[in-house]
CSV table of all heavy atoms in Angstrom, one decimal:
chain,number,residue,atom,x,y,z
A,187,ARG,N,-2.9,21.2,-1.3
A,187,ARG,CA,-3.2,21.0,-2.8
A,187,ARG,C,-2.5,19.7,-3.2
A,187,ARG,O,-3.1,18.9,-4.0
A,187,ARG,CB,-2.6,22.2,-3.5
A,187,ARG,CG,-2.7,22.1,-5.0
A,187,ARG,CD,-2.1,23.2,-5.7
A,187,ARG,NE,-2.0,22.9,-7.1
A,187,ARG,CZ,-1.0,22.3,-7.7
A,187,ARG,NH1,0.0,21.9,-7.0
A,187,ARG,NH2,-1.0,22.0,-9.0
A,188,ARG,N,-1.3,19.4,-2.7
A,188,ARG,CA,-0.6,18.2,-3.2
A,188,ARG,C,-1.2,17.0,-2.6
A,188,ARG,O,-1.2,15.9,-3.2
A,188,ARG,CB,0.9,18.4,-2.8
A,188,ARG,CG,1.6,19.3,-3.7
A,188,ARG,CD,3.0,19.6,-3.5
A,188,ARG,NE,3.5,20.5,-4.5
A,188,ARG,CZ,4.7,21.0,-4.4
A,188,ARG,NH1,5.5,20.8,-3.4
A,188,ARG,NH2,5.1,21.8,-5.4
A,191,ILE,N,-4.0,16.2,-4.8
A,191,ILE,CA,-3.5,15.6,-6.1
A,191,ILE,C,-3.2,14.1,-5.9
A,191,ILE,O,-3.6,13.3,-6.7
A,191,ILE,CB,-2.2,16.3,-6.6
A,191,ILE,CG1,-2.6,17.8,-7.0
A,191,ILE,CG2,-1.6,15.6,-7.7
A,191,ILE,CD1,-1.3,18.7,-7.2
A,192,VAL,N,-2.5,13.8,-4.8
A,192,VAL,CA,-2.2,12.4,-4.5
A,192,VAL,C,-3.5,11.6,-4.3
A,192,VAL,O,-3.7,10.5,-4.8
A,192,VAL,CB,-1.3,12.3,-3.2
A,192,VAL,CG1,-1.0,10.8,-2.9
A,192,VAL,CG2,0.0,13.0,-3.5
A,195,TYR,N,-5.3,11.0,-7.6
A,195,TYR,CA,-4.5,10.0,-8.4
A,195,TYR,C,-4.8,8.6,-7.8
A,195,TYR,O,-5.0,7.6,-8.5
A,195,TYR,CB,-3.0,10.3,-8.4
A,195,TYR,CG,-2.2,9.5,-9.3
A,195,TYR,CD1,-2.3,9.6,-10.7
A,195,TYR,CD2,-1.3,8.5,-8.8
A,195,TYR,CE1,-1.5,8.9,-11.5
A,195,TYR,CE2,-0.6,7.7,-9.6
A,195,TYR,CZ,-0.7,7.9,-11.0
A,195,TYR,OH,0.1,7.2,-11.8
A,196,GLU,N,-4.7,8.5,-6.5
A,196,GLU,CA,-4.8,7.1,-5.8
A,196,GLU,C,-6.3,6.7,-5.9
A,196,GLU,O,-6.5,5.5,-6.1
A,196,GLU,CB,-4.4,7.2,-4.4
A,196,GLU,CG,-2.9,7.5,-4.2
A,196,GLU,CD,-2.0,6.4,-4.6
A,196,GLU,OE1,-2.5,5.2,-4.7
A,196,GLU,OE2,-0.9,6.6,-4.9
A,198,LYS,N,-8.3,7.3,-8.3
A,198,LYS,CA,-8.5,6.9,-9.7
A,198,LYS,C,-8.1,5.4,-9.9
A,198,LYS,O,-8.7,4.6,-10.6
A,198,LYS,CB,-7.7,7.8,-10.6
A,198,LYS,CG,-8.1,7.7,-12.1
A,198,LYS,CD,-7.4,8.7,-12.9
A,198,LYS,CE,-7.7,8.5,-14.4
A,198,LYS,NZ,-6.9,9.3,-15.3
A,199,GLU,N,-7.0,5.1,-9.1
A,199,GLU,CA,-6.5,3.7,-9.2
A,199,GLU,C,-7.6,2.7,-8.7
A,199,GLU,O,-7.8,1.6,-9.3
A,199,GLU,CB,-5.3,3.6,-8.2
A,199,GLU,CG,-4.8,2.2,-8.0
A,199,GLU,CD,-3.9,1.7,-9.1
A,199,GLU,OE1,-3.4,2.6,-9.8
A,199,GLU,OE2,-3.7,0.5,-9.2
A,400,GLU,N,5.2,0.9,-4.3
A,400,GLU,CA,6.0,2.1,-4.7
A,400,GLU,C,7.5,1.9,-4.4
A,400,GLU,O,8.4,2.5,-5.1
A,400,GLU,CB,5.5,3.3,-4.0
A,400,GLU,CG,4.3,3.8,-4.6
A,400,GLU,CD,3.7,5.1,-4.0
A,400,GLU,OE1,4.2,5.5,-3.0
A,400,GLU,OE2,2.7,5.6,-4.5
A,403,ASN,N,8.6,-1.0,-7.1
A,403,ASN,CA,8.8,-0.5,-8.5
A,403,ASN,C,9.7,0.7,-8.6
A,403,ASN,O,9.8,1.3,-9.6
A,403,ASN,CB,7.4,-0.3,-9.2
A,403,ASN,CG,6.6,0.8,-8.5
A,403,ASN,OD1,7.1,1.7,-8.0
A,403,ASN,ND2,5.3,0.6,-8.6
A,404,ARG,N,10.3,1.1,-7.4
A,404,ARG,CA,11.3,2.1,-7.4
A,404,ARG,C,10.8,3.5,-7.7
A,404,ARG,O,11.5,4.4,-8.1
A,404,ARG,CB,12.5,1.8,-8.3
A,404,ARG,CG,13.2,0.5,-8.0
A,404,ARG,CD,13.9,0.5,-6.7
A,404,ARG,NE,14.9,-0.5,-6.5
A,404,ARG,CZ,14.8,-1.6,-5.8
A,404,ARG,NH1,13.7,-1.9,-5.2
A,404,ARG,NH2,15.8,-2.4,-5.7
A,405,ALA,N,9.4,3.7,-7.6
A,405,ALA,CA,8.9,5.0,-7.9
A,405,ALA,C,9.1,6.0,-6.7
A,405,ALA,O,8.9,7.2,-6.9
A,405,ALA,CB,7.4,4.9,-8.3
A,407,GLU,N,11.5,7.2,-5.0
A,407,GLU,CA,12.5,8.3,-4.9
A,407,GLU,C,12.0,9.5,-5.7
A,407,GLU,O,12.2,10.6,-5.3
A,407,GLU,CB,13.8,7.8,-5.4
A,407,GLU,CG,14.9,8.8,-5.0
A,407,GLU,CD,16.3,8.3,-5.2
A,407,GLU,OE1,16.5,7.1,-5.5
A,407,GLU,OE2,17.3,9.1,-5.2
A,408,VAL,N,11.4,9.2,-6.8
A,408,VAL,CA,10.8,10.2,-7.7
A,408,VAL,C,9.7,11.0,-6.9
A,408,VAL,O,9.6,12.2,-6.9
A,408,VAL,CB,10.2,9.7,-9.0
A,408,VAL,CG1,9.5,10.7,-9.8
A,408,VAL,CG2,11.4,9.1,-9.9
A,409,LEU,N,8.9,10.2,-6.2
A,409,LEU,CA,7.7,10.8,-5.5
A,409,LEU,C,8.2,11.6,-4.3
A,409,LEU,O,7.7,12.7,-4.1
A,409,LEU,CB,6.8,9.6,-5.0
A,409,LEU,CG,6.1,8.9,-6.1
A,409,LEU,CD1,5.4,7.6,-5.5
A,409,LEU,CD2,5.1,9.8,-6.8
A,410,VAL,N,9.1,11.1,-3.5
A,410,VAL,CA,9.5,11.9,-2.3
A,410,VAL,C,10.3,13.1,-2.6
A,410,VAL,O,10.4,14.0,-1.8
A,410,VAL,CB,10.3,11.0,-1.2
A,410,VAL,CG1,9.4,9.9,-0.7
A,410,VAL,CG2,11.6,10.5,-1.7
A,411,THR,N,10.8,13.1,-3.8
A,411,THR,CA,11.5,14.4,-4.3
A,411,THR,C,10.6,15.3,-5.0
A,411,THR,O,11.0,16.4,-5.4
A,411,THR,CB,12.8,14.1,-5.1
A,411,THR,OG1,12.4,13.2,-6.2
A,411,THR,CG2,13.8,13.4,-4.3
A,412,SER,N,9.4,14.9,-5.2
A,412,SER,CA,8.4,15.7,-5.9
A,412,SER,C,7.4,16.4,-5.0
A,412,SER,O,6.8,17.4,-5.3
A,412,SER,CB,7.6,14.9,-6.9
A,412,SER,OG,8.4,14.3,-7.9
A,413,THR,N,7.2,15.7,-3.8
A,413,THR,CA,6.3,16.3,-2.8
A,413,THR,C,6.6,15.8,-1.5
A,413,THR,O,7.5,14.9,-1.3
A,413,THR,CB,4.8,16.0,-3.2
A,413,THR,OG1,3.9,16.8,-2.4
A,413,THR,CG2,4.4,14.6,-3.1
A,418,LEU,N,2.0,12.3,0.5
A,418,LEU,CA,2.0,11.0,-0.2
A,418,LEU,C,1.3,10.0,0.7
A,418,LEU,O,0.4,9.3,0.2
A,418,LEU,CB,3.4,10.6,-0.5
A,418,LEU,CG,4.1,11.3,-1.6
A,418,LEU,CD1,5.6,11.0,-1.6
A,418,LEU,CD2,3.5,11.0,-2.9
A,422,LYS,N,-2.5,8.6,0.1
A,422,LYS,CA,-2.6,7.1,-0.2
A,422,LYS,C,-3.5,6.4,0.7
A,422,LYS,O,-4.4,5.7,0.3
A,422,LYS,CB,-1.2,6.5,-0.2
A,422,LYS,CG,-1.0,5.2,-0.7
A,422,LYS,CD,0.4,4.8,-0.8
A,422,LYS,CE,1.0,5.1,-2.2
A,422,LYS,NZ,0.3,4.4,-3.3
A,579,ARG,N,9.0,7.9,4.9
A,579,ARG,CA,10.1,8.7,4.4
A,579,ARG,C,11.4,8.0,4.8
A,579,ARG,O,12.3,7.9,4.0
A,579,ARG,CB,10.0,10.1,5.0
A,579,ARG,CG,11.1,11.1,4.5
A,579,ARG,CD,10.8,11.4,3.1
A,579,ARG,NE,11.8,12.4,2.6
A,579,ARG,CZ,13.0,12.1,2.3
A,579,ARG,NH1,13.5,10.9,2.5
A,579,ARG,NH2,13.8,13.1,1.9
A,582,THR,N,12.3,5.0,2.7
A,582,THR,CA,12.3,5.3,1.2
A,582,THR,C,13.3,4.5,0.5
A,582,THR,O,13.1,3.9,-0.5
A,582,THR,CB,12.5,6.8,1.0
A,582,THR,OG1,11.5,7.5,1.6
A,582,THR,CG2,12.6,7.1,-0.5
A,583,LEU,N,14.6,4.6,0.9
A,583,LEU,CA,15.7,4.0,0.1
A,583,LEU,C,16.3,2.8,0.8
A,583,LEU,O,17.4,2.4,0.6
A,583,LEU,CB,16.7,5.0,-0.2
A,583,LEU,CG,16.2,6.1,-1.1
A,583,LEU,CD1,17.2,7.3,-1.2
A,583,LEU,CD2,15.9,5.6,-2.5
A,585,TYR,N,16.1,-0.7,0.9
A,585,TYR,CA,15.7,-2.0,0.2
A,585,TYR,C,16.3,-3.2,0.9
A,585,TYR,O,17.1,-3.0,1.8
A,585,TYR,CB,16.1,-1.9,-1.2
A,585,TYR,CG,15.5,-0.7,-2.0
A,585,TYR,CD1,16.3,0.3,-2.5
A,585,TYR,CD2,14.1,-0.7,-2.2
A,585,TYR,CE1,15.7,1.4,-3.1
A,585,TYR,CE2,13.5,0.4,-2.8
A,585,TYR,CZ,14.3,1.4,-3.3
A,585,TYR,OH,13.8,2.5,-4.0
A,601,ASN,N,17.3,10.6,13.5
A,601,ASN,CA,17.2,11.5,12.3
A,601,ASN,C,18.2,11.2,11.2
A,601,ASN,O,18.9,12.0,10.7
A,601,ASN,CB,17.4,13.0,12.7
A,601,ASN,CG,16.9,13.9,11.7
A,601,ASN,OD1,16.1,13.6,10.8
A,601,ASN,ND2,17.4,15.1,11.7
A,602,ASP,N,18.3,9.9,10.9
A,602,ASP,CA,19.3,9.4,10.0
A,602,ASP,C,19.1,9.9,8.6
A,602,ASP,O,18.0,9.8,8.1
A,602,ASP,CB,19.3,7.9,10.0
A,602,ASP,CG,20.6,7.3,9.7
A,602,ASP,OD1,21.6,8.1,9.6
A,602,ASP,OD2,20.7,6.1,9.5
B,187,LYS,N,28.6,13.3,5.5
B,187,LYS,CA,27.4,12.4,5.7
B,187,LYS,C,27.9,11.1,6.3
B,187,LYS,O,28.9,10.5,5.7
B,187,LYS,CB,26.7,12.2,4.4
B,187,LYS,CG,25.6,11.1,4.5
B,187,LYS,CD,24.4,11.6,5.3
B,187,LYS,CE,23.4,10.5,5.5
B,187,LYS,NZ,22.4,10.9,6.5
B,188,SER,N,27.3,10.7,7.3
B,188,SER,CA,27.6,9.4,7.9
B,188,SER,C,26.4,8.5,7.9
B,188,SER,O,25.3,8.9,8.1
B,188,SER,CB,28.1,9.5,9.4
B,188,SER,OG,29.2,10.4,9.4
B,223,ARG,N,21.6,12.8,-3.6
B,223,ARG,CA,20.4,12.6,-2.8
B,223,ARG,C,20.4,13.6,-1.6
B,223,ARG,O,19.3,14.0,-1.2
B,223,ARG,CB,20.4,11.2,-2.2
B,223,ARG,CG,20.0,10.1,-3.2
B,223,ARG,CD,20.1,8.7,-2.7
B,223,ARG,NE,19.5,7.8,-3.7
B,223,ARG,CZ,19.7,6.5,-3.8
B,223,ARG,NH1,20.4,5.9,-2.9
B,223,ARG,NH2,19.1,5.8,-4.7
B,226,MET,N,19.0,16.7,-3.2
B,226,MET,CA,17.5,16.5,-3.4
B,226,MET,C,16.8,16.4,-2.1
B,226,MET,O,15.6,16.1,-2.1
B,226,MET,CB,17.2,15.3,-4.3
B,226,MET,CG,17.6,15.5,-5.7
B,226,MET,SD,16.9,17.0,-6.4
B,226,MET,CE,15.1,16.7,-6.2
B,227,ASP,N,17.5,16.4,-1.0
B,227,ASP,CA,16.9,16.3,0.4
B,227,ASP,C,16.3,14.9,0.6
B,227,ASP,O,15.4,14.8,1.5
B,227,ASP,CB,15.8,17.4,0.5
B,227,ASP,CG,15.6,17.8,2.0
B,227,ASP,OD1,16.5,17.5,2.8
B,227,ASP,OD2,14.5,18.3,2.3
B,228,VAL,N,16.8,13.9,-0.1
B,228,VAL,CA,16.4,12.6,0.2
B,228,VAL,C,17.1,12.1,1.5
B,228,VAL,O,16.5,11.5,2.4
B,228,VAL,CB,16.7,11.6,-1.0
B,228,VAL,CG1,16.4,10.2,-0.6
B,228,VAL,CG2,16.0,12.0,-2.2
B,229,PHE,N,18.4,12.5,1.6
B,229,PHE,CA,19.1,12.3,2.8
B,229,PHE,C,19.4,13.7,3.4
B,229,PHE,O,19.5,14.7,2.7
B,229,PHE,CB,20.5,11.6,2.5
B,229,PHE,CG,20.4,10.2,2.0
B,229,PHE,CD1,21.4,9.7,1.2
B,229,PHE,CD2,19.3,9.4,2.4
B,229,PHE,CE1,21.3,8.4,0.8
B,229,PHE,CE2,19.3,8.1,2.0
B,229,PHE,CZ,20.2,7.5,1.2
B,230,HIS,N,19.7,13.7,4.7
B,230,HIS,CA,20.1,14.9,5.3
B,230,HIS,C,21.6,14.8,5.6
B,230,HIS,O,22.1,13.8,6.1
B,230,HIS,CB,19.4,15.1,6.7
B,230,HIS,CG,17.9,15.2,6.5
B,230,HIS,ND1,17.3,16.2,5.7
B,230,HIS,CD2,16.9,14.4,6.9
B,230,HIS,CE1,16.0,16.0,5.7
B,230,HIS,NE2,15.7,14.9,6.4
B,252,TYR,N,14.5,15.6,-11.5
B,252,TYR,CA,15.5,14.7,-10.9
B,252,TYR,C,15.3,13.3,-11.5
B,252,TYR,O,14.2,12.7,-11.4
B,252,TYR,CB,15.3,14.7,-9.4
B,252,TYR,CG,16.1,13.7,-8.7
B,252,TYR,CD1,17.4,13.5,-8.9
B,252,TYR,CD2,15.5,12.9,-7.7
B,252,TYR,CE1,18.2,12.6,-8.2
B,252,TYR,CE2,16.2,12.0,-7.0
B,252,TYR,CZ,17.5,11.8,-7.2
B,252,TYR,OH,18.3,10.9,-6.5
B,254,PRO,N,16.5,9.9,-10.8
B,254,PRO,CA,17.3,9.1,-9.8
B,254,PRO,C,18.0,7.9,-10.4
B,254,PRO,O,17.7,7.4,-11.4
B,254,PRO,CB,16.3,8.7,-8.7
B,254,PRO,CG,15.0,8.7,-9.4
B,254,PRO,CD,15.1,9.6,-10.6
B,256,GLU,N,17.9,5.0,-9.0
B,256,GLU,CA,16.9,3.9,-8.9
B,256,GLU,C,15.7,4.4,-9.7
B,256,GLU,O,14.9,5.1,-9.3
B,256,GLU,CB,16.5,3.8,-7.4
B,256,GLU,CG,17.6,3.3,-6.5
B,256,GLU,CD,17.8,1.8,-6.6
B,256,GLU,OE1,17.1,1.1,-7.4
B,256,GLU,OE2,18.6,1.2,-5.8
B,257,ARG,N,15.7,4.0,-11.0
B,257,ARG,CA,14.6,4.4,-11.9
B,257,ARG,C,13.3,3.7,-11.5
B,257,ARG,O,13.3,2.5,-11.0
B,257,ARG,CB,14.9,4.0,-13.3
B,257,ARG,CG,16.2,4.3,-13.8
B,257,ARG,CD,16.2,5.7,-14.4
B,257,ARG,NE,17.4,5.9,-15.3
B,257,ARG,CZ,18.6,6.3,-14.8
B,257,ARG,NH1,18.7,6.7,-13.6
B,257,ARG,NH2,19.6,6.4,-15.7
B,258,GLY,N,12.2,4.3,-11.7
B,258,GLY,CA,10.9,3.6,-11.4
B,258,GLY,C,9.7,4.5,-11.5
B,258,GLY,O,9.8,5.7,-11.0
B,259,LEU,N,8.7,4.1,-12.1
B,259,LEU,CA,7.4,4.8,-12.1
B,259,LEU,C,6.3,3.7,-11.8
B,259,LEU,O,6.7,2.6,-11.4
B,259,LEU,CB,7.2,5.5,-13.5
B,259,LEU,CG,8.1,6.7,-13.8
B,259,LEU,CD1,7.9,7.1,-15.2
B,259,LEU,CD2,7.8,7.8,-12.8
B,260,TYR,N,5.1,4.0,-12.1
B,260,TYR,CA,4.0,3.1,-11.9
B,260,TYR,C,3.9,2.2,-13.1
B,260,TYR,O,3.4,2.6,-14.1
B,260,TYR,CB,2.7,3.8,-11.6
B,260,TYR,CG,2.7,4.6,-10.4
B,260,TYR,CD1,3.0,6.0,-10.4
B,260,TYR,CD2,2.4,4.1,-9.1
B,260,TYR,CE1,3.0,6.7,-9.3
B,260,TYR,CE2,2.4,4.8,-8.0
B,260,TYR,CZ,2.7,6.2,-8.1
B,260,TYR,OH,2.7,6.9,-6.9
B,261,PRO,N,4.2,0.9,-13.0
B,261,PRO,CA,4.1,0.0,-14.2
B,261,PRO,C,2.7,-0.2,-14.7
B,261,PRO,O,2.5,-0.4,-15.9
B,261,PRO,CB,4.8,-1.3,-13.8
B,261,PRO,CG,4.9,-1.2,-12.3
B,261,PRO,CD,4.8,0.2,-11.9
B,263,ARG,N,0.1,1.9,-14.6
B,263,ARG,CA,-0.6,3.1,-14.9
B,263,ARG,C,-0.2,3.6,-16.3
B,263,ARG,O,0.9,3.3,-16.8
B,263,ARG,CB,-0.4,4.3,-13.9
B,263,ARG,CG,-0.7,3.9,-12.5
B,263,ARG,CD,-2.2,3.6,-12.2
B,263,ARG,NE,-3.0,4.8,-12.3
B,263,ARG,CZ,-3.4,5.5,-11.3
B,263,ARG,NH1,-3.0,5.1,-10.1
B,263,ARG,NH2,-4.1,6.5,-11.4
B,267,ASP,N,-0.9,9.5,-17.7
B,267,ASP,CA,-1.5,9.7,-16.4
B,267,ASP,C,-0.4,10.0,-15.4
B,267,ASP,O,-0.5,11.0,-14.6
B,267,ASP,CB,-2.2,8.4,-15.9
B,267,ASP,CG,-3.7,8.5,-16.1
B,267,ASP,OD1,-4.1,9.5,-16.7
B,267,ASP,OD2,-4.4,7.6,-15.6
B,268,GLN,N,0.7,9.2,-15.4
B,268,GLN,CA,1.7,9.5,-14.4
B,268,GLN,C,2.5,10.7,-14.7
B,268,GLN,O,3.0,11.3,-13.8
B,268,GLN,CB,2.5,8.2,-14.1
B,268,GLN,CG,3.0,7.5,-15.3
B,268,GLN,CD,3.5,6.1,-14.8
B,268,GLN,OE1,4.2,5.9,-13.8
B,268,GLN,NE2,3.2,5.1,-15.6
B,271,TYR,N,0.4,13.5,-13.4
B,271,TYR,CA,0.5,13.4,-11.9
B,271,TYR,C,1.7,14.0,-11.3
B,271,TYR,O,1.7,14.9,-10.5
B,271,TYR,CB,0.4,11.9,-11.5
B,271,TYR,CG,0.5,11.6,-10.0
B,271,TYR,CD1,-0.2,12.3,-9.1
B,271,TYR,CD2,1.4,10.7,-9.6
B,271,TYR,CE1,-0.1,12.0,-7.7
B,271,TYR,CE2,1.6,10.3,-8.3
B,271,TYR,CZ,0.8,11.0,-7.3
B,271,TYR,OH,0.9,10.7,-6.0
B,272,LEU,N,2.9,13.6,-11.9
B,272,LEU,CA,4.2,14.2,-11.4
B,272,LEU,C,4.3,15.7,-11.7
B,272,LEU,O,4.8,16.4,-10.8
B,272,LEU,CB,5.3,13.4,-12.1
B,272,LEU,CG,5.5,12.0,-11.6
B,272,LEU,CD1,6.5,11.2,-12.4
B,272,LEU,CD2,5.9,11.9,-10.1
B,274,CYS,N,1.8,17.8,-11.8
B,274,CYS,CA,1.0,18.5,-10.9
B,274,CYS,C,1.6,18.5,-9.5
B,274,CYS,O,1.5,19.5,-8.8
B,274,CYS,CB,-0.4,17.8,-10.8
B,274,CYS,SG,-1.4,18.1,-12.3
B,275,LEU,N,2.2,17.4,-9.1
B,275,LEU,CA,2.9,17.4,-7.8
B,275,LEU,C,4.0,18.4,-7.7
B,275,LEU,O,4.3,19.0,-6.7
B,275,LEU,CB,3.5,16.0,-7.5
B,275,LEU,CG,2.6,14.9,-7.1
B,275,LEU,CD1,3.4,13.6,-6.8
B,275,LEU,CD2,1.8,15.3,-5.8
B,276,ARG,N,4.6,18.7,-8.9
B,276,ARG,CA,5.7,19.7,-8.9
B,276,ARG,C,5.2,21.1,-9.2
B,276,ARG,O,6.0,22.0,-9.5
B,276,ARG,CB,6.7,19.3,-9.9
B,276,ARG,CG,7.4,18.0,-9.5
B,276,ARG,CD,8.4,17.5,-10.6
B,276,ARG,NE,8.7,16.1,-10.4
B,276,ARG,CZ,9.0,15.3,-11.4
B,276,ARG,NH1,9.0,15.7,-12.6
B,276,ARG,NH2,9.4,14.1,-11.1
B,277,GLY,N,3.9,21.3,-9.1
B,277,GLY,CA,3.4,22.7,-9.1
B,277,GLY,C,2.6,23.1,-10.3
B,277,GLY,O,2.1,24.2,-10.3
B,278,MET,N,2.5,22.3,-11.3
B,278,MET,CA,1.7,22.7,-12.5
B,278,MET,C,0.2,22.5,-12.3
B,278,MET,O,-0.2,21.6,-11.6
B,278,MET,CB,2.2,21.9,-13.7
B,278,MET,CG,3.5,22.3,-14.3
B,278,MET,SD,3.9,21.4,-15.8
B,278,MET,CE,4.9,22.5,-16.6
B,316,GLN,N,10.8,7.9,-18.5
B,316,GLN,CA,11.3,8.3,-17.2
B,316,GLN,C,12.0,9.7,-17.3
B,316,GLN,O,11.8,10.6,-16.5
B,316,GLN,CB,12.3,7.3,-16.7
B,316,GLN,CG,12.9,7.6,-15.3
B,316,GLN,CD,12.2,6.9,-14.2
B,316,GLN,OE1,11.8,5.7,-14.3
B,316,GLN,NE2,11.9,7.6,-13.1
Side-chain angles (χ1 to χ4, degrees):
Chain A
R187 180 183 166 270
R188 287 179 177 170
I191 292 167
V192 177
Y195 187 73
E196 295 292 338
K198 196 174 174 188
E199 172 82 19
E400 282 180 355
N403 63 30
R404 302 294 198 256
E407 195 172 350
V408 171
L409 293 170
V410 297
T411 53
S412 299
T413 189
L418 288 169
K422 192 169 268 298
R579 184 68 177 75
T582 299
L583 293 171
Y585 298 113
N601 193 25
D602 207 8
Chain B
K187 173 68 184 170
S188 299
R223 284 176 174 163
M226 288 306 300
D227 208 22
V228 175
F229 293 152
H230 300 298
Y252 173 46
E256 296 277 3
R257 311 269 199 272
L259 290 171
Y260 295 95
R263 304 296 289 265
D267 260 9
Q268 45 196 317
Y271 174 53
L272 290 171
C274 289
L275 281 183
R276 293 173 196 152
M278 284 184 154
Q316 184 97 40

